[in-house]
Amino acid sequence: SASMDSGDELRQKYMEFPYVSGPHRDLMVELLSSVETRLGSSLQPCTLPPHVRHFGNPAGTAYACIQLRHGLPSSQIDFILGGWIHSKLPSGGALNITSLSGYLNSSTDAPNFRLELIQSIPTSLILVLDLTPRKDLILHPHHLKTYYEDTLLDRYRQRLHMLPEVSPYISPSLYVRAAVSPTAILVSIDVGAGETTNIEEIIRDHVGPVAKELLQFWIESCACTERRVGEPETAYLAERDRIIKNKTIELDLGSSFPRLFGQDVADRVLTVLKEHYNK
Amino acid sequence: SASMDSGDELRQKYMEFPYVSGPHRDLMVELLSSVETRLGSSLQPCTLPPHVRHFGNPAGTAYACIQLRHGLPSSQIDFILGGWIHSKLPSGGALNITSLSGYLNSSTDAPNFRLELIQSIPTSLILVLDLTPRKDLILHPHHLKTYYEDTLLDRYRQRLHMLPEVSPYISPSLYVRAAVSPTAILVSIDVGAGETTNIEEIIRDHVGPVAKELLQFWIESCACTERRVGEPETAYLAERDRIIKNKTIELDLGSSFPRLFGQDVADRVLTVLKEHYNK
């Protein structure tokens, strides 16, 4: 059973992305490898219990793999979270989600990283890719300038929006809409059933390069560039981060996990994740 | 000349909207009348000098009318700003902007109101319609719930998005994107040249009803519902409001007025507006 897997097996399973297409898997593996190469020495090993690292629903139709690694106290990283979810759909298809998030701690005010690829039909993909702000950008216009304007971050969004298959995706959650940055890539990529382009090619040729560049930027300019944040600001960041992390569990995972894995499994996993998010 | 107009003439010119279509004018007049009827007794007369209430460029190809009325000290209103801009375009067409904004003071944390209709070609219209938040909605989830979730504000956006002519409008300004609420209506309405529907019908049948309902909601539930905001919060609101007002002048008016009216006229008008915004 999943709960008997060893650490190595769990790590392997996590990197396997067994249910998504080749280009989708290649992209995720490349992103996780960048994190490992550049940030690995700043991270603690994953201490999630095995039943949270890999689990499924009682019916055996849904599986997930999660890895959470806290940053070392000397680093600016709170934790890096990655994972995948696979669930068979009653329609015969499957829902596949792969994600990678980077949360920084309150020694810096640099943005967090967030990537999510959500696919429930072969001809369509929802992409969420953002450097999520950790400060109110209205009250802190300098922050908007430093991280979003001077860096020309919007060019990545613009590049994807030039594709005819790409259209804005509007999240049903008002919280999610409020939490993203003004350069957030929240798009739906749709290829018609009879078209010559397919989602795999768009992931390989367009989503991949943008995701890799943005992650690279986040690692170098956000996670690894030291910022000196003063005491009142640390408290502000810590409080805002606390809200963000708990809202993410409550709204994002909390709304989908019970549906996908049943209430018991969801409760067990979410309780542990909540503890680890707030460590 | 414009600077010799009397108060009555200026008020009449302001309500005239001489360069836009019938349904567009009807909508603006109806909105201004709602403000007058419901809030008029809480507002001071417009004290802008005549050369700011109505002005044009030296070449006589661009005109504008602005009215700014501060709230009485007993009210929750900072000021109500309305106006229109008309500018002939080198292409032979014209740019027409009509707008109405309501800013509240720091005795309440309720959102501001913002409406803008921007038209530069007969077959297309940009609509900005929002209850702009005055607090960081991440740090204040209760505020998101009170004003945006529990009120089902998103239904207005959804209603307009059901029209095939409507698509999301993404502002080139990252500040504007960051300042809007998660239920903001920022859309481009495009009717093909050969289509049977025209922009005027869409304003009358769809934009109008939504704008009127939202203004009604803002007047009753934001401007006229008393909120008791404590001292530290008043200071927070005052500071955030100050930034918003100055950014609006700098980015919105400051970037377009010199182009439309020449640097001299723009400087004269913007200096006075800035004073009045910060009164």
Side-chain angles (χ1 to χ4, degrees):
Chain A
S1 104
S3 62
M4 280 165 39
D5 289 341
S6 75
D8 276 353
E9 281 170 316
L10 286 166
R11 197 152 44 245
Q12 199 186 327
K13 186 138 282 178
Y14 168 64
M15 294 287 278
E16 230 169 39
F17 298 100
Y19 299 101
V20 298
S21 69
H24 188 156
R25 179 186 323 135
D26 293 347
L27 170 60
M28 291 308 298
V29 170
E30 227 181 303
L31 296 172
L32 296 182
S33 304
S34 296
V35 169
E36 182 58 46
T37 306
R38 189 66 179 82
L39 299 176
S41 62
S42 308
L43 299 175
Q44 303 174 35
C46 178
T47 56
L48 293 176
H51 76 272
V52 175
R53 293 183 67 174
H54 181 46
F55 56 90
N57 66 345
T61 55
Y63 292 98
C65 235
I66 299 180
Q67 194 190 70
L68 187 154
R69 295 179 65 184
H70 280 282
L72 292 173
S74 58
S75 79
Q76 297 189 132
I77 296 161
D78 184 357
F79 60 86
I80 304 280
L81 178 78
W84 54 259
I85 291 172
H86 167 80
S87 173
K88 287 194 173 55
L89 295 173
S91 61
L95 167 71
N96 282 297
I97 302 175
T98 65
S99 72
L100 174 64
S101 308
Y103 292 80
L104 299 180
N105 65 35
S106 52
S107 68
T108 176
D109 59 1
N112 291 332
F113 178 84
R114 182 176 177 201
L115 167 78
E116 216 165 321
L117 293 164
I118 304 162
Q119 190 161 22
S120 59
I121 54 169
T123 57
S124 180
L125 176 81
I126 290 169
L127 169 67
V128 179
L129 179 56
D130 191 25
L131 297 196
T132 316
R134 293 172 60 224
K135 284 171 136 174
D136 174 13
L137 298 178
I138 300 304
L139 204 54
H140 303 277
H142 184 69
H143 202 73
L144 179 67
K145 187 173 180 315
T146 306
Y147 286 107
Y148 300 96
E149 287 175 347
D150 292 352
T151 53
L152 306 176
L153 273 194
D154 202 42
R155 69 188 188 281
Y156 298 109
R157 194 194 57 77
Q158 287 171 17
R159 213 199 284 174
L160 286 182
H161 269 278
M162 285 193 310
L163 301 175
E165 294 87 358
V166 166
S167 59
Y169 168 72
I170 295 168
S171 167
S173 158
L174 300 191
Y175 169 79
V176 169
R177 294 187 209 164
V180 298
S181 83
T183 60
I185 298 171
L186 275 144
V187 295
S188 173
I189 305 174
D190 296 279
V191 297
E195 298 294 326
T196 48
T197 320
N198 60 39
I199 292 288
E200 288 69 39
E201 287 169 338
I202 293 181
I203 291 179
R204 189 190 60 205
D205 299 339
H206 302 285
V207 174
V210 166
K212 284 183 249 177
E213 282 184 54
L214 259 176
L215 177 62
Q216 197 60 27
F217 172 83
W218 181 76
I219 290 176
E220 298 306 332
S221 304
C222 300
C224 294
T225 299
E226 232 181 278
R227 300 267 299 170
R228 255 163 254 277
V229 163
E231 187 48 59
E233 213 167 0
T234 302
Y236 166 82
L237 289 164
E239 172 61 7
R240 206 173 182 279
D241 286 347
R242 190 189 62 77
I243 295 172
I244 290 173
K245 289 189 283 187
N246 288 311
K247 277 278 170 193
T248 303
I249 295 213
E250 177 193 327
L251 294 177
D252 194 359
L253 310 182
S255 70
S256 59
F257 272 31
R259 193 165 29 84
L260 293 170
F261 302 105
Q263 196 67 50
D264 286 354
V265 173
D267 285 347
R268 270 207 307 273
V269 171
L270 291 174
T271 305
V272 173
L273 277 182
K274 198 159 185 172
E275 277 169 32
H276 280 257
Y277 268 47
N278 289 296
K279 240 178 203 168
Chain B
S1 103
S3 62
M4 281 168 34
D5 287 341
S6 75
D8 276 352
E9 280 171 316
L10 286 167
R11 198 155 39 247
Q12 199 186 327
K13 186 139 286 188
Y14 167 66
M15 293 288 278
E16 230 169 40
F17 299 98
Y19 299 100
V20 298
S21 68
H24 187 156
R25 179 186 324 136
D26 293 345
L27 170 59
M28 290 308 299
V29 169
E30 225 180 304
L31 295 172
L32 296 181
S33 304
S34 296
V35 168
E36 182 58 47
T37 307
R38 190 63 178 82
L39 300 177
S41 61
S42 310
L43 298 175
Q44 303 175 36
C46 179
T47 56
L48 292 176
H51 76 272
V52 174
R53 293 184 66 173
H54 182 44
F55 57 92
N57 65 346
T61 55
Y63 292 99
C65 233
I66 299 179
Q67 192 190 73
L68 187 152
R69 296 179 66 184
H70 279 282
L72 292 173
S74 56
S75 79
Q76 297 189 132
I77 295 160
D78 184 358
F79 61 85
I80 304 280
L81 178 79
W84 54 259
I85 290 172
H86 166 80
S87 174
K88 287 193 173 55
L89 295 174
S91 61
L95 168 71
N96 283 297
I97 301 175
T98 65
S99 72
L100 174 65
S101 307
Y103 291 80
L104 299 180
N105 65 33
S106 52
S107 69
T108 175
D109 59 2
N112 290 333
F113 178 83
R114 182 176 176 202
L115 166 78
E116 216 165 320
L117 293 163
I118 305 163
Q119 189 161 23
S120 59
I121 54 170
T123 56
S124 180
L125 175 81
I126 290 169
L127 169 67
V128 179
L129 179 55
D130 192 24
L131 297 195
T132 315
R134 293 172 62 225
K135 283 172 138 176
D136 174 13
L137 298 178
I138 301 302
L139 204 54
H140 303 276
H142 184 70
H143 202 73
L144 178 67
K145 187 173 180 315
T146 305
Y147 285 107
Y148 301 97
E149 288 175 346
D150 291 351
T151 53
L152 306 176
L153 273 194
D154 202 41
R155 69 188 188 279
Y156 298 109
R157 195 193 56 77
Q158 289 171 17
R159 212 200 283 176
L160 286 180
H161 270 278
M162 285 194 308
L163 300 174
E165 294 87 357
V166 166
S167 58
Y169 169 72
I170 294 168
S171 166
S173 158
L174 300 192
Y175 170 78
V176 169
R177 293 186 210 165
V180 298
S181 83
T183 59
I185 297 170
L186 275 143
V187 295
S188 173
I189 304 173
D190 296 278
V191 296
E195 297 296 326
T196 47
T197 319
N198 62 38
I199 292 288
E200 287 69 40
E201 286 169 339
I202 294 182
I203 290 179
R204 189 191 60 205
D205 299 338
H206 302 285
V207 174
V210 166
K212 283 182 251 175
E213 282 184 54
L214 259 176
L215 177 62
Q216 197 61 24
F217 173 82
W218 181 76
I219 290 175
E220 298 307 332
S221 304
C222 300
C224 294
T225 299
E226 232 181 281
R227 299 267 298 170
R228 256 163 254 276
V229 163
E231 187 50 59
E233 211 166 3
T234 302
Y236 165 83
L237 288 164
E239 172 61 7
R240 206 173 182 279
D241 287 346
R242 190 189 61 77
I243 296 173
I244 289 174
K245 288 189 283 188
N246 288 311
K247 278 277 169 192
T248 303
I249 295 213
E250 177 193 327
L251 294 176
D252 194 359
L253 311 181
S255 71
S256 59
F257 272 32
R259 192 165 31 83
L260 293 171
F261 302 106
Q263 195 67 51
D264 285 356
V265 173
D267 284 348
R268 270 206 307 274
V269 172
L270 291 174
T271 304
V272 174
L273 277 183
K274 199 160 183 170
E275 277 169 32
H276 280 257
Y277 267 49
N278 290 295
K279 239 176 206 168

